[in-house]
Amino acid sequence: MNDRHPASIITDRDKAIQVAVSQVFPETRHCLNKWNVLRAGQEKLAHVCLSHPTFQVELYNCINLTETIEEFEFSWSSLVDKYDLKGQEWLQSLYDSRAQWVPVYFRDSFFAVISPDHAFDASFFDGYVNQQTTLPMFFRQYERALEVSFQRELEADFDTICTTPVLRTPSPMEKQAADLYTKKVFTKFQEELVETFVYTANRIEGDATVSTFRVAKFEDDDKEYTVTLNYGDMIANCSCQMFEYSGVLCRHVLTVFTVTNVLTLPPHYILGRWTVNAKAGHGIAGPSTESSSNPEILTSRYNTLCREAIQYAEEALAALREGIKKVAAAKKNVAKVSPTSLQVSGTAAQDDKKTSAPASDAPSLLWPDQDEASRSFNLNDNGASTQSVADLNLPRMFPVSVQRDDGPPGNLVILNNLFSMKFMHCFSWLSTWFCFH
């Protein structure tokens, strides 16, 4: 990293790793993976969630949405008292180590966080390996995980290149951000900018060099923020510390910029990592050449080719889906599944469950099985689904899908990866075209 320590690092809750990080990166802000810390909650707090349906949401808000240490401490204490959890040892152990995993304790350090669930995702290998995974299978699953990661990154890049952001304000700053930021980062910035319309900024002290502003919502004095602005250097600091934590300006600073007539983003508030040309280090369509020096012409050609590539991929997907539907229908006919059993339950396993207890009388369990548990209780993604790992060690004749394998026939595992290959083929063709034009 250019002979510099990283600003921050996130690891699992492992003593050996913590010791190693402290020795190798003594100046780096080290915190624990929030998902890894909370994953035992599916077992430890199951009884609480079953008795109190709102508990999970309240705990999520306490961990992810509090903005100051005082606010977190108060929220946690209220939650423990409300649900009588003072004697819960696991919850107490989380509280004792809160400074290592609760986001509010390190908002003054840069973690490139765009949303509450962004920085502390599940492990890279979740959904690909489990405790029974053999070493040869691990390497195979590692390649699959890389393939999925690459596909997601490719799709995000394609989204940024081929879609035009919809502006929601007449602000020159929004237009500037739309031209510079990737689609995801611009969406976050736009959200913050639009929110400035419901905030007010009043100068409480200062002079022509440095001023301090009180920022709050209209008719809402319960929650206020303090923004300090240095006019000469055009540097603003907010008490919420969003820019220090994520690299995107908060609505409070943007409100102060509005009232002080700062119409465009100062260069030092545009992080290179969030821009469309972060990878290349130059224009998104590549360096200019004698044959394609006009950026407008180059962009038009690129967009046209991208649209054609999408059209071909969609036609291929449509044909594949149609074929898979026919195969699924043929399988049903071969299996000779009776219509009655299909109407009642759809599978033999579900039919057995229905026999043992009527659906209307059965309680709505939070974790019906181990695979469902990670989706039902996940304080880190607030409900996002994860992939099952039950059959990962079984031999397969096709790649693992980005989507879950237990979906409808039209969502079989082979589809997404064939789309990925088609996608990559199209982009390879585009790259070749640009080399010769």
Side-chain angles (χ1 to χ4, degrees):
M1 297 185 182
N2 298 323
D3 295 325
R4 293 187 303 171
H5 288 183
S8 58
I9 188 171
I10 303 170
T11 69
D12 288 345
R13 198 178 190 181
D14 183 90
K15 291 292 185 183
I17 293 178
Q18 294 182 53
V19 171
V21 169
S22 65
Q23 293 176 353
V24 178
F25 299 129
E27 300 176 6
T28 298
R29 190 66 179 270
H30 179 208
C31 72
L32 304 179
N33 186 299
K34 179 159 58 73
W35 181 89
N36 181 266
V37 171
L38 297 170
R39 65 186 306 174
Q42 62 187 26
E43 174 188 351
K44 305 292 186 180
L45 300 176
H47 64 289
V48 183
C49 292
L50 289 174
S51 304
H52 307 283
T54 62
F55 171 75
Q56 183 177 338
V57 175
E58 292 182 48
L59 184 57
Y60 175 90
N61 292 340
C62 172
I63 294 170
N64 296 291
L65 303 185
T66 49
E67 295 181 332
T68 65
I69 294 177
E70 293 75 15
E71 186 181 353
F72 168 78
E73 295 283 354
F74 177 78
S75 179
W76 184 280
S77 178
S78 300
L79 203 63
V80 170
D81 292 338
K82 179 179 179 180
Y83 295 104
D84 193 22
L85 296 173
K86 288 185 177 180
Q88 223 290 336
E89 294 183 2
W90 179 80
L91 206 60
Q92 183 61 42
S93 69
L94 293 189
Y95 180 76
D96 292 340
S97 61
R98 61 194 181 281
Q100 294 180 288
W101 63 273
V102 178
V104 74
Y105 283 89
F106 32 83
R107 285 186 69 87
D108 59 339
S109 299
F110 182 68
F111 281 87
V113 175
I114 298 301
S115 69
D117 311 318
H118 178 215
F120 306 95
D121 297 330
S123 168
F124 178 79
F125 293 107
D126 278 340
Y128 298 94
V129 298
N130 56 25
Q131 293 179 344
Q132 286 74 43
T133 301
T134 60
L135 188 59
M137 181 58 69
F138 170 81
F139 289 109
R140 198 188 309 176
Q141 292 303 105
Y142 174 74
E143 291 177 354
R144 292 173 179 173
L146 283 179
E147 178 188 350
V148 170
S149 177
F150 177 74
Q151 176 175 315
R152 288 174 178 167
E153 184 177 343
L154 193 62
E155 290 173 350
D157 289 343
F158 190 77
D159 246 1
T160 295
I161 295 170
C162 296
T163 59
T164 302
V166 177
L167 303 183
R168 298 169 60 186
T169 74
S171 168
M173 192 178 291
E174 184 183 18
K175 178 65 170 63
Q176 177 193 17
D179 293 337
L180 293 174
Y181 285 142
T182 62
K183 182 179 179 181
K184 183 174 182 180
V185 177
F186 171 71
T187 300
K188 177 60 179 176
F189 175 83
Q190 186 181 56
E191 174 189 328
E192 296 297 315
L193 183 64
V194 170
E195 283 295 318
T196 62
F197 289 99
V198 297
Y199 277 80
T200 59
N202 300 307
R203 194 170 78 166
I204 54 179
E205 63 179 8
D207 49 33
T209 304
V210 179
S211 293
T212 301
F213 295 82
R214 173 187 172 276
V215 182
K217 273 189 175 183
F218 285 113
E219 301 179 354
D220 184 4
D221 294 331
D222 294 336
K223 199 165 189 178
E224 60 182 49
Y225 302 85
T226 302
V227 176
T228 302
L229 176 63
N230 183 314
Y231 295 101
D233 298 329
M234 201 50 63
I235 295 177
N237 296 299
C238 181
S239 57
C240 77
Q241 297 181 310
M242 178 174 164
F243 182 79
E244 290 81 356
Y245 187 52
S246 67
V248 177
L249 280 176
C250 63
R251 59 196 66 178
H252 318 118
V253 169
L254 294 176
T255 301
V256 171
F257 279 172
T258 300
V259 300
T260 55
N261 294 319
V262 178
L263 301 180
T264 59
L265 286 171
H268 48 271
Y269 285 119
I270 303 171
L271 298 192
R273 67 184 300 137
W274 296 145
T275 60
V276 292
N277 56 359
K279 294 180 181 178
H282 43 63
I284 197 164
S288 60
T289 62
E290 293 181 1
S291 60
S292 59
S293 58
N294 191 324
E296 294 182 359
I297 295 176
L298 190 60
T299 300
S300 177
R301 290 176 179 176
Y302 195 84
N303 288 342
T304 299
L305 290 172
C306 286
R307 283 193 293 270
E308 291 179 359
I310 292 176
Q311 180 182 349
Y312 296 144
E314 287 176 345
E315 290 174 358
L317 279 174
L320 280 171
R321 288 195 178 99
E322 186 62 30
I324 289 174
K325 287 180 182 178
K326 292 179 180 179
V327 172
K331 285 184 177 180
K332 289 182 180 179
N333 291 334
V334 172
K336 296 181 180 180
V337 179
S338 65
T340 304
S341 63
L342 284 173
Q343 292 175 0
V344 173
S345 61
T347 64
Q350 289 176 332
D351 199 35
D352 293 340
K353 293 179 182 178
K354 205 170 185 70
T355 304
S356 61
S360 59
D361 298 331
S364 177
L365 297 178
L366 185 59
W367 306 298
D369 55 50
Q370 282 301 108
D371 290 335
E372 290 292 330
S374 60
R375 298 198 299 275
S376 299
F377 189 90
N378 191 337
L379 295 173
N380 302 287
D381 61 15
N382 204 17
S385 62
T386 56
Q387 183 182 6
S388 171
V389 297
D391 301 323
L392 288 177
N393 286 322
L394 298 178
R396 292 180 182 267
M397 298 300 293
F398 42 77
V400 173
S401 167
V402 179
Q403 307 297 331
R404 288 183 52 77
D405 293 351
D406 54 0
N411 191 34
L412 292 180
V413 290
I414 196 171
L415 281 177
N416 291 302
N417 289 281
L418 285 177
F419 173 74
S420 177
M421 288 185 283
K422 184 70 176 180
F423 209 76
M424 292 171 64
H425 175 72
C426 291
F427 265 92
S428 297
W429 179 67
L430 288 173
S431 301
T432 304
W433 186 90
F434 276 111
C435 288
F436 292 98
H437 293 77

